[in-house]
Amino acid sequence: MSNLFYQGRGRKPMLDQARGVYMWDTDGKRYLDGSSGAMVCNIGHSNSNVLAAMRRQMEKSTFGYRLHFETEASEKLAASLVELMPEHLTRVFFVSGGSEAVESALKMARQHALATGQGSRWKVISRQPSYHGCTLGALGVTGYAALTDPFKPMMRIMPKVPAPRAYLDGLDVDDEATGHHYADMLEEQIFAEGPETVLAFIVEPVGGASTGALVPPKGYMERIREICDRYDVLLIMDEVMTGAGRTGTFLGCEHWGTRPDIVVMSKGIGSGYVPLGAMIVDERLVEPVLDAGGFAHGFTYAGNPLACAAGLAVVGEIRNQGLCDNAARMGEKLMTRLQALKQKHEIIGDVRGKGLLTAFEFMSDRDAKTPLPRHLNAYQRFVDIAYERGLIVYSRRTHDGYEGDHILVCPPLILNDGHLDEIIEGLDGSLEQFVHELHGAAGAF
C-alpha cells in the first residue's frame, strides 16, 4: 500500500524513465506521451541541455530567498521572457505553478486599483466553463462546477459570462457576428455588475481542459479588448496552457494580435522539469503599486534559482529548435488526421484546436449534439483504453465537469511525422475498441 494520497483509489504503473515523447514503466512497457503530461512537457522529456543547465546551477546554489538576493538565473529568465512578450509587458514575477500565477495576477490587479484610487473595483469576470487553478482565489474565477461546487461556502464566486462555444450553440465560428455575440456578453455583464466595480476579465485565448481546446470565433478576441478598454477593465490572459509555443506562437493571444495587460504562464515554461510559473505585467501597472508600498504578495519559492535556470534552458530550447513553428506545422497535420478520424468514427462530433493544443468531442448524435450518457464515464474509459495501448491522452467533461466528454491530444512540441503516425494509430484502435464497448453497453445510445 502506498503512503501517498492520490485523487482516487486507482493505481498506475511505476514510472521508470522518460525520453523525448516516450515514457517507460518499471516493467519495460513504453508509452507515447500524447498529452505532454497535463499539457506541460512542451519540449519533451529529459532534454540534455536542460539537465545540464540544472546541474550547473546546482553546483552554484539551489536556493536564494528573493528578499535576500537577486539571482542571475531569475534575471536572465525574466529578460528572456520579456523579449518574447508584447513590448509593454516588461515586469516579471515568478511563482511555482499556474494557480499561483493566477492568484498573483488577481492580487496585482486589485493592488493597482487601490494604488490609483479605484478601490471600488474588485470583481474579476471570467467564463463558464473555464479553469484557472485549484487554489481558492483561482477557483473563484474558475467556471467548472464539478471542481468548484464542493468549496462554494469557502470562497467568493466571481461573475461569469458564457464561453464562446459556437459548436454546441449551432453558430458559425467563422462569422464575425458570432464572435461579437459572445464578446458582447462581457459588456452586458460589466453593466450588470456596475462598471465601477469591475476590475478585470480573465480568459484563456484557446480554451484548455474545461472546454477542450476551444478556439474563439472570428472577431471575439479583438472585441473583448475593445470592451475592456472602453470600461478601463484589465485584460488578463491565462496562458498557463497556451503559452510557451503550444498553439504555434509563443503566446496564444498572438494569433489575434490581442494586447493583454497581464499574462500568466506556467506548464510549458518549466516543461515538467521543475515547478515554475510567471506573471508578466504591463509596466504602467507595476509602478503605482511599488510607489504605494510594494506588492503585498509572495511565495517562498518565487524566483528559485534552480527553477529559473531550468526555465531559461527550456525557453532556449523552444527558441533554438524552432518549436513554435514546429507546433504550428505539426498541428495542421494533426488536425487533418483528427478530421479523418471524425469521418471514420461517427462518435466524434467535433474536432478543434490550434497548434498542438487539440481535442475531439464525443456525441451520441452529431446532428442533435447529444452527449453520451453521463453514467458511462466515457471520457475516463477512453483514456484507460488508450493507456492500455501505450498512448497517453487527457480528458475532461464539456458541460461543467458533469456531462459531455472530450479528449485532448497535445503531444510535446518536438513531435515528428513518425510520432504522429503512432498517435493516430493508437487513437484509431482505441476508438474502435471504445465504440465496440459502447454498443455492447445496455442503453448506451
Side-chain angles (χ1 to χ4, degrees), residues 82-244:
V82 166
E83 287 180 7
L84 295 163
M85 295 294 119
E87 62 180 13
H88 62 289
L89 296 176
T90 60
R91 305 299 286 273
V92 181
F93 186 87
F94 288 117
V95 296
S96 298
S99 297
E100 289 186 4
V102 169
E103 294 274 348
S104 301
L106 303 182
K107 289 186 176 182
M108 184 69 206
R110 173 59 179 167
Q111 288 185 59
H112 173 262
L114 291 172
T116 55
Q118 302 177 77
S120 64
R121 294 185 185 267
W122 59 271
K123 297 174 184 176
V124 179
I125 299 174
S126 56
R127 306 194 306 193
Q128 188 82 27
S130 64
Y131 181 73
H132 297 289
C134 63
T135 51
L136 291 180
L139 272 181
V141 294
T142 287
Y144 202 71
L147 297 178
T148 57
D149 282 352
F151 308 106
K152 278 184 176 178
M154 302 173 66
M155 64 184 184
R156 184 185 286 275
I157 302 294
M158 290 292 178
K160 305 292 188 297
V161 296
R165 297 190 293 177
Y167 162 68
L168 291 178
D169 295 336
L171 300 176
D172 183 1
V173 298
D174 296 319
D175 185 351
E176 198 169 76
T178 300
H180 291 176
H181 162 72
Y182 289 106
D184 288 347
M185 293 179 185
L186 172 61
E187 185 169 37
E188 293 168 8
Q189 191 66 43
I190 290 172
F191 270 117
E193 299 296 331
E196 73 284 353
T197 71
V198 179
L199 178 65
F201 178 50
I202 185 168
V203 61
E204 294 173 289
V206 177
S210 65
T211 53
L214 179 69
V215 178
K218 184 178 180 181
Y220 178 82
M221 294 293 285
E222 299 87 345
R223 184 76 149 221
I224 63 169
R225 179 70 266 182
E226 293 171 6
I227 292 168
C228 287
D229 286 340
R230 192 175 304 145
Y231 299 100
D232 293 325
V233 170
L234 298 178
L235 181 55
I236 302 172
M237 286 290 175
D238 184 343
E239 297 266 5
V240 169
M241 192 176 294
T242 53

